[in-house]
Amino acid sequence: MSFTAVVRKDFTDVRRAKLLWFVGGIYTLFAVLFFYTGSTGENPEVLRQLWNMSGLAVLFIPLVALVAAYLSVAGERESGSIKFLLSIPNGRADVVFGKYVSRAGLVSGAILLAFGVAAALSVVWYPEVDFGTFARVTGLTLLFALAYVSVAVGISALTASRSRAMAGAIGYFFVFNVLWIQGSAFSVVGALRFVFEDTLGVSLAENTELFVQSLSPATAYLQSLRLAYPAGYRDLPPADPSTPFYLEPEFMLVILAAWVVVPLLVGYWRFERADLG
């Protein structure tokens, strides 16, 4: 019962966040823009606009999720209201997982709104709509969002102040959405090349580099989109029997699921042992 109370109260509080709705509203606005401009060409194609929404999701979904959840626990701790929240009585598990469910529900609602508007416009503006691809892209985007909400709540549960939670959220975004997914010398893969190839003289296999890059939720999401679109669309590679299982698009779902579960459990483990006095 206390878990439900935390979810209900937190959802009521966070839904008033203007910044969250502003960022989510921009994503919906871009969806309208994509589908409108795409419908005015000679060969209007829904899949092309879905592709654009998928690419934009890599930027907007982390912003929406982090804004929605990075203060979920840390904000309560800094203000002192966490003591009141834990005295109703609610356990610490109720707080962490209840916050996650409420923030995930709100972010999911914003994403469903954007894709729902896009689907409605597609029916009106396009001669043909592939609802199967539409549903798959929406589902993968929701999984990507759930992973980022988990990261944000986990960071919030690990920290005791707003400033540290903000620094953690910004740092995570910079590392996993900027440094991790590129292949330059100033990336994680570039750092591994420096350590193994330049320093130790050990050559890294291409599959190893690709797997390391896929550990980013953003890269895992982009790779998982091969499950949503027809084979060969927009240069998506067809299934290759020689591809290692850990580079298959199905395994990207495992990586995203791990990002949903692990940060939340780590945050709860740390929060359970934190001194709130």
Side-chain angles (χ1 to χ4, degrees):
M1 185 58 122
S2 57
F3 171 80
T4 305
V6 171
V7 174
R8 187 184 303 112
K9 178 184 180 302
D10 190 65
F11 187 86
T12 301
D13 293 340
V14 76
R15 70 183 181 184
R16 303 190 185 101
K18 295 180 180 179
L19 182 58
L20 169 63
W21 289 111
F22 174 74
V23 178
I26 290 179
Y27 189 55
T28 303
L29 184 62
F30 268 107
V32 175
L33 181 63
F34 285 149
F35 280 82
Y36 172 72
T37 56
S39 68
T40 59
E42 294 182 0
N43 298 307
E45 183 184 2
V46 169
L47 292 185
R48 185 178 303 161
Q49 312 317 318
L50 273 176
W51 183 270
N52 291 334
M53 285 190 68
S54 302
L56 194 63
V58 176
L59 172 64
F60 270 92
I61 298 306
L63 293 177
V64 173
L66 292 174
V67 168
Y70 82 98
L71 289 180
S72 54
V73 180
E76 301 267 15
R77 291 180 66 177
E78 186 172 88
S79 67
S81 59
I82 191 70
K83 296 179 181 178
F84 171 77
L85 190 61
L86 290 171
S87 65
I88 308 184
N90 298 318
R92 299 194 184 195
D94 297 322
V95 171
V96 174
F97 296 108
K99 295 276 190 180
Y100 174 75
V101 170
S102 65
R103 308 294 168 117
L106 193 62
V107 172
S108 298
I111 294 171
L112 289 174
L113 174 63
F115 278 93
V117 169
L121 295 178
S122 298
V123 173
V124 176
W125 290 340
Y126 290 80
E128 184 179 358
V129 181
D130 185 348
F131 286 107
T133 301
F134 226 111
R136 289 190 291 271
V137 172
T138 303
L140 291 171
T141 305
L142 286 173
L143 180 58
F144 177 50
L146 294 179
Y148 250 96
V149 174
S150 176
V151 168
V153 174
I155 290 173
S156 190
L158 283 168
T159 55
S161 67
R162 293 170 178 263
S163 59
R164 291 179 181 177
M166 180 180 293
I170 294 174
Y172 181 90
F173 179 86
F174 181 74
V175 171
F176 284 92
N177 269 60
V178 179
L179 292 182
W180 206 282
I181 62 178
Q182 59 174 319
S184 69
F186 298 99
S187 66
V188 173
V189 171
L192 288 177
R193 288 173 182 165
F194 174 78
V195 172
F196 284 92
E197 297 181 0
D198 298 343
T199 305
L200 301 178
V202 179
S203 178
L204 282 177
E206 181 181 2
N207 285 341
T208 301
E209 294 183 1
L210 292 174
F211 176 68
V212 171
Q213 285 185 314
S214 69
L215 293 178
S216 162
T219 305
Y221 166 68
L222 291 174
Q223 294 297 326
S224 72
L225 290 174
R226 287 184 286 167
L227 299 172
Y229 293 94
Y233 181 75
R234 305 288 289 189
D235 296 326
L236 286 174
D240 184 353
S242 65
T243 301
F245 76 93
Y246 53 82
L247 295 179
E248 294 284 356
E250 290 82 2
F251 194 77
M252 300 301 108
L253 302 182
V254 177
I255 294 175
L256 288 173
W259 279 112
V260 173
V261 175
V262 175
L264 203 59
L265 292 180
V266 171
Y268 165 67
W269 173 80
R270 182 66 183 87
F271 182 64
E272 182 69 25
R273 288 157 178 76
D275 181 9
L276 305 178

